[in-house]
Amino acid sequence: MMGQQPSGQDRLFYSFNLEDHIPQNHLLRGIDRCLDLSELRQQLADYYSHTGRPSIDPELMIRMLIIGYSYGIRSERRLCEEVHLNLAYRWFCRLGLEDVVPEHSTFSKNRHGRFRESGVFRWVFDEVVRRCIAAGLVKGEGFAVDASLVAANASHQHSVQVGEHCDWTDPEINTRAMREYLAALDDEAAAAPVTRKISLSDPQSRWTAATGGIAYFAYSTNYLIDTAHGVILDVEATPAHRTAEVESTKVMVDRVEERFDLKPERLIADTAYGSAPMLGWMVEEKSIEPHIPVWDKTERKDGTFQRDAFQWDDEANEYRCPVGKALRSEWRPFKTPRTHVTKADTIIYRSSERDCAACPMKADCCPNMTFRKITRSIHEAARDVARYITTTPEYQRSRCERKKVEMLFAHLKSILKLDRLRLHGLSGAGDEFTLAAAVQNMRRMAKLIAQGPPINGIGAPA
């Protein structure tokens, strides 16, 4: 017999409990177990007035933002609508059925105001990392680092070429992002190479075609992860420039050591991080094994002897060619000792013209020059350490573990929908990247930690 649904919307009173309607395996239940915002109000206490009307609970806004980044809800207006309609979202935000959802404009005022000034997003991220460490998800033995481009909220049509006249005091472009850009022009961070275009809506973004396709304005998000379970230990926003991305590694490694007392035994990265200064910093200053391919441009393609054919004598501070002749940085003593270090932090070793002129192997060594020269970095010892590591089985394992960073970037863009920023400026990019990384850690933590009641100190054997 065909059934018919009775009318059930004319009841005046309902017996309803949100807790009973949220599945036990729901993602937000797992995130809620991993999230502790009990000290949030203490972090923000100095940024609220002691008088006036009570504000919207900051924990409610943080929880709503976590929902937005967890489910790829990029619009704050749509986020408010979804929280209003979705029972699981209301449960996670501690809202009852009759509680009012905040207006979307509230997020803008707090994002650019007290949240940014207090660094609360970084505090949330650090707290999540600490709980991951307490849960035994971080071993601290191997770290991996990489960067990924994320498109800025800027159009090439609203930009100027370098050198093109522009009235920087025009009220139409006098935005917060523009003021941050002008204020940072005198900083050392703004000393990067000049880009071809400058966006008038987001001037701190960089015009780049690094992906090999059409150029666009972008920022770089830099991840430093622990290779054990892919937990993001630190995140840094930089302009889309390779030098800034590599230098951010030093900032992240130092910050993780300072805040969490963690320093890796090995650091994994691609060839872009294999420059001599970077390897020297890792080996000589931090005592970290560089599981990184060496950035080497000394390969010769004319069939002459490669650099490997010359033997280095550390005691004599000289090279020896295949026939045993010396290549030195100086062939006569100077009254004033010289370091012979160039602006590129290298030392040039030259052979003797007399030795090369009489050498039977000159055609295979330096046929177009009267002598042979070799450029040696002042960090060559660190480069040799990196070269040796590439021959070990541990290096091959590290090559596989580096893919965990790329998987996180793919998850960031495909699942969390953060393939284009909404906020302007380097500070806005940092806020978005930091909160998104915190959500990625919470999602991973929720899946790896066994189900259980929420507790203040999560602990598990490593």
Side-chain angles (χ1 to χ4, degrees), residues 3-108:
Q4 182 176 357
Q5 179 179 351
S7 176
Q9 297 184 352
D10 55 354
R11 296 172 61 184
L12 183 59
F13 298 103
Y14 289 88
S15 176
F16 190 88
N17 188 356
L18 273 176
E19 181 72 26
D20 298 336
H21 289 75
I22 312 302
Q24 291 298 320
N25 60 350
H26 197 281
L27 174 63
L28 290 181
R29 280 193 180 273
I31 291 179
D32 188 60
R33 279 187 285 266
C34 304
L35 186 63
D36 183 10
L37 298 177
S38 58
E39 298 181 4
L40 176 64
R41 293 173 180 81
Q42 181 180 350
Q43 290 292 126
L44 293 170
D46 296 337
Y47 298 88
Y48 281 88
S49 173
H50 298 288
T51 60
R53 296 174 56 190
S55 69
I56 296 175
D57 188 353
E59 181 176 347
L60 169 59
M61 288 185 283
I62 294 296
R63 285 181 174 272
M64 289 180 65
L65 288 173
I66 289 174
I67 290 174
Y69 282 91
S70 297
Y71 290 95
I73 305 175
R74 307 288 293 122
S75 168
E76 290 166 357
R77 187 188 298 269
R78 179 168 168 254
L79 174 61
C80 293
E81 296 175 354
E82 293 293 332
V83 173
H84 176 71
L85 296 173
N86 193 298
L87 294 180
Y89 296 172
R90 279 185 172 271
W91 174 87
F92 183 77
C93 293
R94 307 294 192 264
L95 291 174
L97 291 178
E98 298 179 352
D99 291 333
V100 179
V101 178
E103 291 287 337
H104 64 88
S105 60
T106 306
F107 290 96
S108 299

Side-chain angles (χ1 to χ4, degrees), residues 316-341:
N317 189 28
E318 65 183 21
Y319 280 97
R320 287 285 173 174
C321 73
V323 296
K325 300 298 180 179
L327 286 80
R328 299 171 181 167
S329 59
E330 62 179 27
W331 283 92
R332 61 183 179 87
F334 293 90
K335 293 183 179 180
T336 303
R338 302 182 180 183
T339 62
H340 301 284
V341 178

Side-chain angles (χ1 to χ4, degrees), residues 206-401:
R206 187 172 179 86
W207 183 253
T208 179
T211 56
I214 299 175
Y216 58 99
F217 289 106
Y219 288 97
S220 291
T221 176
N222 301 269
Y223 278 3
L224 180 69
I225 74 164
D226 183 86
T227 57
H229 293 283
V231 174
I232 305 170
L233 297 178
D234 206 346
V235 56
E236 183 74 8
T238 61
H241 187 261
R242 179 56 69 179
T243 302
E245 296 170 359
V246 173
E247 288 300 314
S248 70
T249 303
K250 300 179 181 179
V251 176
M252 293 189 291
V253 170
D254 289 340
R255 190 160 52 198
V256 168
E257 183 177 6
E258 176 186 355
R259 297 187 178 183
F260 309 116
D261 194 24
L262 290 175
K263 191 179 76 170
E265 298 177 8
R266 57 193 172 97
L267 182 64
I268 309 167
D270 57 25
T271 310
Y273 297 81
S275 62
M278 185 65 185
L279 295 175
W281 175 80
M282 293 175 57
V283 176
E284 298 162 8
E285 295 186 28
K286 306 299 291 186
S287 300
I288 300 174
E289 292 184 3
H291 287 232
I292 304 173
V294 178
W295 180 274
D296 196 350
K297 293 185 177 180
T298 61
E299 182 180 358
R300 300 171 72 94
K301 300 180 180 179
D302 55 0
T304 56
F305 289 142
Q306 298 291 339
R307 180 174 177 168
D308 296 342
F310 297 79
Q311 298 296 322
W312 169 251
D313 188 341
D314 192 51
E315 294 183 359
N317 189 28
E318 65 183 21
Y319 280 97
R320 287 285 173 174
C321 73
V323 296
K325 300 298 180 179
L327 286 80
R328 299 171 181 167
S329 59
E330 62 179 27
W331 283 92
R332 61 183 179 87
F334 293 90
K335 293 183 179 180
T336 303
R338 302 182 180 183
T339 62
H340 301 284
V341 178
T342 66
K343 293 181 179 180
D345 288 338
T346 59
I347 301 175
I348 300 176
Y349 292 81
R350 299 177 176 86
S351 63
S352 169
E353 292 187 19
R354 183 185 307 171
D355 292 339
C356 290
C359 181
M361 305 182 70
K362 185 177 186 304
D364 297 324
C365 183
C366 51
N368 301 322
M369 297 179 63
T370 57
F371 60 90
R372 177 66 183 262
K373 65 179 182 179
I374 295 178
T375 301
R376 179 181 176 86
S377 171
I378 61 174
H379 305 292
E380 195 65 31
R383 286 159 58 90
D384 290 339
V385 171
R387 291 190 184 100
Y388 170 75
I389 291 176
T390 58
T391 63
T392 61
E394 291 77 9
Y395 176 80
Q396 300 302 324
R397 177 168 65 92
S398 297
R399 290 291 88 194
C400 297
E401 291 178 337

Side-chain angles (χ1 to χ4, degrees), residues 402-446:
R402 192 180 70 84
K403 297 178 182 178
K404 294 182 179 181
V405 192
E406 300 172 354
M407 293 170 61
L408 285 168
F409 289 141
H411 179 268
L412 176 72
K413 297 178 180 181
S414 61
I415 305 300
L416 304 190
K417 308 299 182 184
L418 190 57
D419 53 355
R420 183 182 178 89
L421 295 171
R422 293 188 66 250
L423 302 183
H424 289 153
L426 189 61
S427 59
D431 290 347
E432 291 213 62
F433 294 154
T434 302
L435 196 52
V439 166
Q440 286 184 291
N441 279 343
M442 284 186 281
R443 289 174 63 106
R444 176 151 303 201
M445 193 176 179

